[in-house]
Every structure is written in structure tokens, then in C-alpha cells.
């Protein structure tokens, strides 16, 4: 079993898409082992996305991520990291496959509705960034 960090981003929370996204997660065999709603501070968004700090879109991305509430999730499944990224679809919704969350819900490249860890070492940083051990119950 593998765990990954998922975020339902502000654009999706704002449009009342939490339920539809959770339904897709559960029906694809993920267990939601931790979940909470939060309004990130700019400092938290900057620390979470520190790997992107040299990118030209870092300022826009971090401001967007604290522009409204998000839903933070830890998902568990076999091959969870790759399976969640497949269910989300490509970063740019115009390139996302049919039936993916980003294809169906994303507004644009930035407001793309969902986040997922991209590798085991990323998940190992991202999950404890938001959840302590007591909050994760399999
Ligand atoms: P991900 O792993 O699929 O989320 O993609 P990346 O790690 O490459 O980028 C992180 C997030 O930054 C994306 O999910 C988008 O929300 C945002 N992003 C990526 N590229 C751009 C861009 O060119 N401009 C802006 N404003 N945001 C971007």
C-alpha cells in the first residue's frame, strides 16, 4: 500500500466540486485516510511549493493556493501516487485525457482543480507537511 497527498484546489472548492471529486477518488479504490479543509497562509503555500520557487509562476501559484479554502487529503491505495496522477490528468487541462478530473473540472493551467504528489520522496515531504500521525487513520 502506498500513500499520496492530494489537494482539492481553491477553484474546485469554490465551485462546490468537493463531493464529485471525492466520489471519483473512492470509486477508483482509494481510501481517504486523512482529510481536512483549510485556508492556507501565503507562507504555507510558499513552503509547500518551495521546489518551484525559481519558476516565473511561483508568485501567482502561491497567491492562488491561498485565495480560498482547499481540501487536503491523504489517499491510500496500491500504486497510489501514479494512480492519483492518472485520475487527475495532465497539468494543463487542454492536454488532459478524457474522463480525468482536470479535463472535466479545471479552468486553466493554474486553476487546475487538483494537486497530487509526483514521487515517493515528494509524498514523504507533503503528507507530514499537513497531517500528523494521529490524523492519518487507515
Ligand atoms: P503538477 O504536478 O501537475 O501540479 O504540475 P507542476 O508541479 O508542474 O506545477 C504545479 C502547479 O503550478 C500546477 O498544478 C498549476 O496549478 C501551476 N502551474 C503550472 N504551470 C503554470 C504556469 O505556467 N503558470 C501558472 N500561473 N501556474 C502554473
Amino acid at each position: 500500500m502506498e500513500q499520496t497527498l492530494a489537494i482539492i484546489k481553491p477553484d474546485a472548492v469554490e465551485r462546490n466540486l468537493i463531493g464529485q471529486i471525492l466520489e471519483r477518488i473512492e470509486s477508483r479504490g482509494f481510501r481517504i485516510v486523512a482529510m481536512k479543509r483549510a485556508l492556507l497562509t501565503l507562507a504555507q503555500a510558499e513552503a509547500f511549493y518551495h521546489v518551484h520557487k525559481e519558476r516565473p509562476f511561483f508568485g501567482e501559484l502561491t497567491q492562488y493556493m491561498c485565495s480560498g479554502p482547499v481540501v487536503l487529503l491523504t489517499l491510500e491505495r496500491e500504486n497510489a501516487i501514479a494512480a492519483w496522477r492518472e485520475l487527475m490528468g495532465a497539468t494543463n487541462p487542454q492536454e488532459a485525457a478524457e474522463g480525468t478530473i482536470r479535463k472535466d473540472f479545471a479552468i486553466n493551467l493554474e486553476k487546475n482543480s487538483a494537486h497530487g504528489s509526483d514521487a515517493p520522496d515528494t509524498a514523504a515531504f507533503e503528507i507530514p507537511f499537513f497531517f500528523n500521525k494521529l490524523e492519518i487513520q487507515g
Side-chain angles (χ1 to χ4, degrees), residues 9 49 52 55 57 60-61 85 91 102 109-110 112:
K9 291 184 175 180
Y49 277 117
H52 290 319
R55 302 270 199 105
F57 58 83
E60 282 174 7
L61 169 63
R85 289 194 66 90
T91 307
R102 284 164 164 172
L109 174 59
E110 177 185 87
N112 61 1

Side-chain angles (χ1 to χ4, degrees), residues 13 17 39 42 46 62 78 83 90 106 121 126:
V13 172
L17 295 170
L39 180 60
L42 184 59
E46 287 174 349
T62 51
E78 239 172 68
D121 59 331
E126 292 183 348

